[in-house]
Amino acid sequence: QVQLVESGGGLVQAGESLRLSCAASGRTFSNYVVGWFRQTPGKEREFVAAISWSGSMINYADSVKGRFTISRDNAQNTVYLQMNFLRPEDTAVYYCAARWVVLGTTVGEYAYWGQGTQVTVSS
């Protein structure tokens, strides 16, 4: 079992930055792929970024490429999502999720989820 807790959300203006954190506890975190997803009311949860256990493989949604950076510190059991040049359309609840070993980009591939953190970008 892996427990995940997100933090770092908030209200910012367009063009500004935020860094989200996903703190993990439980099983050996370094063996898990971690992904970030986001969801707005009435829409399905969508993939944002994912990072392999070693950090050597990373995948981003096209909508965030060049603006968001995912990274991890296995010694601290934490994964980060640095979000730069934020846009109003980035407004959502952001969730981190974990799965065993293999990189994934769909909600159904991830077994463990955090409770989410709200990001609001004003224009």
Side-chain angles (χ1 to χ4, degrees):
Q1 194 80 351
V2 175
Q3 293 80 41
L4 304 171
V5 179
E6 303 95 334
S7 62
L11 171 63
V12 296
Q13 293 189 335
E16 294 184 339
S17 299
L18 276 175
R19 188 176 79 158
L20 304 183
S21 298
C22 173
S25 60
R27 291 189 174 180
T28 306
F29 179 65
S30 59
N31 292 332
Y32 285 82
V33 165
V34 175
W36 284 97
F37 292 76
R38 63 188 183 186
Q39 189 171 24
T40 54
K43 291 190 175 181
E44 293 189 353
R45 197 167 295 187
E46 66 173 6
F47 171 75
V48 175
I51 187 167
S52 64
W53 66 273
S54 67
S56 62
M57 295 180 64
I58 289 174
N59 197 0
Y60 293 102
D62 288 342
S63 58
V64 306
K65 279 181 182 176
R67 300 187 299 123
F68 290 12
T69 302
I70 189 171
S71 62
R72 69 189 295 160
D73 183 345
N74 287 336
Q76 298 296 323
N77 285 351
T78 303
V79 171
Y80 304 98
L81 185 68
Q82 178 66 43
M83 307 186 295
N84 297 329
F85 306 108
L86 282 162
R87 304 168 180 168
E89 53 264 39
D90 294 318
T91 295
V93 177
Y94 283 71
Y95 299 88
C96 67
R99 67 165 300 183
W100 181 252
V101 180
V102 179
L103 213 64
T105 61
T106 64
V107 170
E109 294 178 288
Y110 286 79
Y112 305 103
W113 291 85
Q115 82 291 345
T117 185
Q118 176 71 46
V119 171
T120 303
V121 185
S122 63
S123 57

